[in-house]
Amino acid sequence: MNNHAQCFSDGIFKQNPVLVLMIGLCPLLAVSTSAINGLGMGLAASFVLICSNLVVSAVRKFIPEGIRIPIFIIIISTFVTIVDLVMNAYFPPLHKALGVFVPLIVVNCIILGRAEAFAYRNSVLDSLLDGLGMGLGFTLVITLIGAIRELFGNGTIFNSPRFIEKPALLMIFPPGGFITIGFLMGLYFLYTSYARSKAKK
Amino acid sequence: MSITNLFGILISAMLINNIVLIYFLGLCAFFGVSTKMKTSLGMGFAVIFVMVMATAATWLIYHFVLVPLELTFLRTASFVLVIASLVQLVEIFLKKTSPGLYKALGIYLALITTNCAILAVAFLNIDYSYGLLEGVFYALGTGLGFTLAIILFAGIRERVALAPVPDSLKGFPIAFFIASLMSLAFLGFKGLLGL
């Protein structure tokens, strides 16, 4: 990557892991029942992504090609275990809300995918910026989905007092999650096709 | 551990707590593979196969290695490595003994390593404190639920691909809407058989 800043900004918009690359969908829908949960998961996954990108990029010259995937898994699971234990100790309600999805960050396609596609082949600085960008992109989307679902499904936002009297409980349930991400993706595609047609003129 | 108890675990895992439509696990594989019915069938069977074996293997590792040695914090790393190596072993074994089945499963066997549903079932098995037999039935039910959901989904998607969908909704957005309606339908299973 010639442009360092581009590594960072790509992850947020042009190559947003969720809306464009379509990876990391599992935790996205499952934990985004409220904005706080979404934010917590986004930050936890970003932390693991940044750390694993850093470590994989730092030792990439010493990792043999054939067994790189198991080694990535070991590196990633180390950081996931750290996050799991720290969250359990200092943020117990968040840990309980996220449940089994905290250890599942290990097989989050974003982290393994970026380690394989980017950190293994690029410098430490670029991998750090890529991790930051992708993590920020993921956190933004998951918090947005959490906020929408909490707003329409519970009438609150970030645990504020309720200001919608009769919320649509469906939004908190699984169908609501699917509908929200479907609309967000549709809006994103609409925007990118509009931007593309505008650029053509 | 009566037969009705095991049957209850199976039905509950398959319908009431469907892994894809209620628990949002295995979504990457679910959306990526379900554009054609044939590939969905292959993926479904591969998932059942690996899920049952992985659950049994991780249960044994947890109860006979991690707990006696008080290394339970290593469960994340060890489970993932066990699943990855199990998939590799199964692939080699199938290639030698049953080339027909190997060819039928194809590439999906390798893709299953990153399927979060497998790891999740291994974790939930421990969290629910199931015995070995109950765990196997739980994994079998979950795999059957995944296969059922992906087959239904592929059938609908194949039809929708021929329908006049707005441009910005083509592909993934409309797939998510389909999934939301299916999930709504499966929510209706709550309370089935008093479970």
Side-chain angles (χ1 to χ4, degrees), chain B residues 116-131:
Chain B
C116 46
I118 312 273
L119 188 63
V121 167
F123 276 118
L124 289 173
N125 196 23
I126 305 293
D127 284 346
Y128 291 157
S129 308
Y130 282 151

Side-chain angles (χ1 to χ4, degrees), chain A residues 22 24-26 29-30 73-74 77 81 100-101 103-104 106-107 109 112 170 174-175 178-179 181-183 185-186 189-190, chain B residues 21-28 31 73 76-77 80-81 114 116 119-120 123 168-169 172-173 176-177 179-180 183-184 187:
Chain A
M22 314 259 190
L25 297 171
C26 296
L29 295 172
I73 291 179
I74 295 177
S77 58
T81 311
V100 75
F101 285 95
L104 278 180
V106 155
V107 283
C109 316
L112 201 59
L170 185 68
F178 284 120
I179 292 177
I181 184 82
F183 267 119
M185 263 192 207
F189 285 174
L190 196 64
Chain B
L21 298 172
I22 306 287
Y23 275 99
F24 294 117
L25 294 166
L27 285 180
C28 293
F31 283 100
F73 66 91
T76 311
V80 174
L81 287 173
T114 56
C116 46
L119 188 63
F123 276 118
S168 57
L169 291 181
F172 271 88
F176 279 115
F177 289 149
S180 84
S183 168
L184 197 55
L187 271 182

